[in-house]
Amino acid sequence: MVAAPSRTTAADIGSLSPARARFTKRWTPRLVAFGEFIDGYDLLVMGSALLFLKPAFDLTPTEVGWLGAIAFIGAAVGLVVFGDLSDRFGRKVIFVINLVFFVVASLAAAFVTEVWQLMLARFFIGVAVGMDIPTSHAFLTEIAPRARRGRVAGSLPNMMWLSGAITSVLIALALRDVAGENTWRWLFGLAAIPALGVLIARQFLPESPRWLRAQGRHEEARKVFTILGIEEPAAPVGSVGRKRHVRELFAARAGLRLAAVTGFFAIQAFGGAVATIAGPLVMAASGIGAQYSLWFSLAGFVAGLGAVVAGAQLIDRINRRTLGMWSCVGVFIAGLGIAFLGPKSSGLLLTFFVLYSLLTWFGPGVLSWVWSSEAFPTHLRGIGSGIAQAVTRLMIALNVVLAPHLLERFGLRSVAIYASAYVIAAAVVAASPFLATTGKELEDINIGRE
């Protein structure tokens, strides 16, 4: 077990060499966001792995559903528990230690011999992912300048997440003719390599400056702001040393924001599964075969990455509510195209599937990440984001359990059910004027006073 990082002091920060300071400024956001590459690879790799696991273990539809869902359930546990701990003990200690669990569980998943063993390993992988998400997410939000917060806290982690998903499909395509029925073992085991590299590199990162300031460690916070090249925002009155009361999240005004952010994120994740973990199953249901279903999924992920890159140019320039509402409507229309026109033509199927993926990631896929961190004050950001993400993961788990049964019964027309979720998501945004956060300082938009 790797020892927890020691407490960073102002003297430690002030003694950084110029080269180390440049490294810290340049690589801190990337190394924190790289946790999403690992998340995207490992949680999405199950979509590819299931194509090989089904014949290897003669899986039933129920087993397929639970193998896809169990990591999300583990993530929900990790999100709530460790989101709270990151508020109490700091961001850095959690997002370093979590990778130790991830490396061990990934290697264990590659060597299982029974389905129940794989489910157990995947559960602990989910817990490790759940440790990282609210912690790194809060960190990115807390170091992002207001003019670029959408790109840093929303677009950057989603670029990493999609890059991980693309990597998982490319590796599956490369290994399927070499490893054959053991492809799934390699897919799981290889995840440990980038995780180990990030684990080592994260040892050298500073603590979140806003978290340090909330603990009354102003000198350390000031030095981290300086090293990262960020102008220190004014601290709200009464923010220092404020006692944490999780019940604040459920007060009248705060509860409304928590419900809106959590609801939007969960609903979007339910519908978005068509373009993510359930993608290979959706494509296989069209009868195009396992090999081509992987290519269809790859096309969707590549389109999604392009959409996130394009959206990054707009997310901090236009009203985020407007972007959220209209992109959700677009995804709904694309989903209807998959459901009712896709069965008639493989060309139309590919077109609407790519469009579905593109619009999902252009708007709601990124906005859900931004809003779920902006909505909470520093002393509750980890647990607030953790709750929103936990409900989201449980929704994805429910979706993945249902997907094999719905696809077996209704075929591609079941996609219309998923797409309808985006109509509800658009309504949530329309009813939530506080989601218009573009260009505002973090301290001015989160609930209550820090």
Side-chain angles (χ1 to χ4, degrees):
M1 180 69 69
V2 174
S6 58
R7 171 174 168 144
T8 303
T9 66
D12 294 332
I13 297 171
S15 64
L16 291 180
S17 67
R20 173 77 178 277
R22 287 193 298 271
F23 173 87
T24 301
K25 179 179 179 179
R26 180 177 182 181
W27 286 100
T28 291
R30 293 175 174 85
L31 287 173
V32 174
F34 200 81
E36 299 313 315
F37 176 93
I38 298 169
D39 179 21
Y41 175 92
D42 197 79
L43 293 185
L44 270 297
V45 79
M46 180 54 77
S48 300
L50 281 173
L51 299 175
F52 303 95
L53 284 166
K54 286 177 69 175
F57 287 98
D58 193 23
L59 299 176
T60 66
T62 299
E63 288 173 328
V64 169
W66 279 107
L67 275 174
I70 195 68
F72 292 103
I73 297 173
V77 174
L79 281 158
V80 175
V81 173
F82 290 93
D84 181 53
L85 291 179
S86 75
D87 288 334
R88 295 176 182 271
F89 303 112
R91 316 303 187 200
K92 180 178 176 179
V93 64
I94 303 299
F95 71 48
V96 170
I97 292 177
N98 82 290
L99 291 175
V100 177
F101 290 88
F102 186 91
V103 170
V104 173
S106 295
L107 293 175
F111 292 97
V112 300
T113 58
E114 301 287 343
V115 173
W116 70 266
Q117 295 171 354
L118 181 57
M119 286 192 179
L120 188 62
R122 294 294 300 171
F123 174 81
F124 283 110
I125 286 173
V127 172
V129 168
M131 289 186 197
D132 188 82
I133 291 173
T135 309
S136 59
H137 194 199
F139 189 104
L140 287 172
T141 301
E142 290 163 0
I143 67 170
R146 65 180 179 180
R148 294 188 289 114
R149 190 171 55 248
R151 280 174 280 176
V152 174
S155 301
L156 177 59
N158 276 278
M159 288 177 195
M160 294 290 188
W161 198 89
L162 280 162
S163 296
I166 290 170
T167 301
S168 73
V169 178
L170 289 175
I171 291 177
L173 288 168
L175 288 176
R176 67 187 313 273
D177 293 329
V178 177
E181 63 181 14
N182 288 318
T183 296
W184 62 272
R185 294 187 185 275
W186 286 95
L187 289 173
F188 291 147
L190 288 173
I193 297 176
L196 182 60
V198 176
L199 169 63
I200 295 171
R202 279 184 175 182
Q203 307 284 335
F204 303 100
L205 299 185
E207 179 57 86
S208 161
R210 278 184 164 94
W211 184 86
L212 288 170
R213 189 174 63 178
Q215 308 306 306
R217 295 159 62 178
H218 292 283
E219 186 62 24
E220 295 169 65
R222 191 170 298 114
K223 289 182 180 295
V224 175
F225 275 122
T226 300
I227 289 172
L228 296 179
I230 303 168
E231 181 180 355
E232 182 176 4
V237 177
S239 65
V240 177
R242 179 170 180 173
K243 193 172 182 179
R244 295 178 72 257
H245 296 290
V246 176
R247 62 177 179 271
E248 293 177 48
L249 290 173
F250 302 95
R253 182 184 173 204
L256 179 62
R257 293 194 174 205
L258 178 63
V261 169
T262 302
F264 178 82
F265 207 156
I267 293 167
Q268 185 279 136
F270 179 85
V274 170
T276 54
I277 191 168
L281 294 178
V282 170
M283 294 299 100
S286 69
I288 62 177
Q291 179 179 358
Y292 294 108
S293 70
L294 287 175
W295 283 107
F296 269 65
S297 295
L298 179 63
F301 290 141
V302 171
L305 181 58
V308 172
V309 172
Q313 310 308 311
L314 297 176
I315 194 169
D316 291 311
R317 298 182 180 180
I318 66 175
N319 188 300
R320 288 178 191 157
R321 284 184 71 213
T322 302
L323 176 61
M325 286 185 288
W326 287 109
S327 57
C328 284
V329 171
V331 178
F332 170 67
I333 295 172
L336 295 182
I338 294 174
F340 299 106
L341 297 179
K344 299 178 180 180
S345 166
S346 59
L348 288 173
L349 175 62
L350 177 60
T351 298
F352 282 112
F353 183 75
V354 169
L355 185 62
Y356 193 102
S357 299
L358 189 153
L359 291 174
T360 295
W361 292 106
F362 183 80
V366 172
L367 289 171
S368 54
W369 282 77
V370 176
W371 285 332
S372 66
S373 61
E374 288 180 332
F376 310 107
T378 297
H379 67 291
L380 293 170
R381 187 165 291 118
I383 182 62
S385 177
I387 290 172
Q389 290 261 9
V391 174
T392 297
R393 299 289 165 144
L394 291 175
M395 180 64 80
I396 297 173
L398 173 63
N399 182 9
V400 174
V401 170
L402 291 175
H405 299 283
L406 290 174
L407 290 168
E408 186 175 47
R409 182 171 182 181
F410 301 111
L412 287 179
R413 291 198 173 187
S414 61
V415 173
I417 299 173
Y418 298 115
S420 296
Y422 282 99
V423 176
I424 303 173
V428 170
V429 177
S432 306
F434 47 80
L435 294 179
T437 57
T438 307
K440 296 182 180 180
E441 189 61 78
L442 189 61
E443 282 76 8
D444 296 330
I445 62 176
N446 55 52
I447 54 178
R449 303 293 291 177
E450 286 203 351

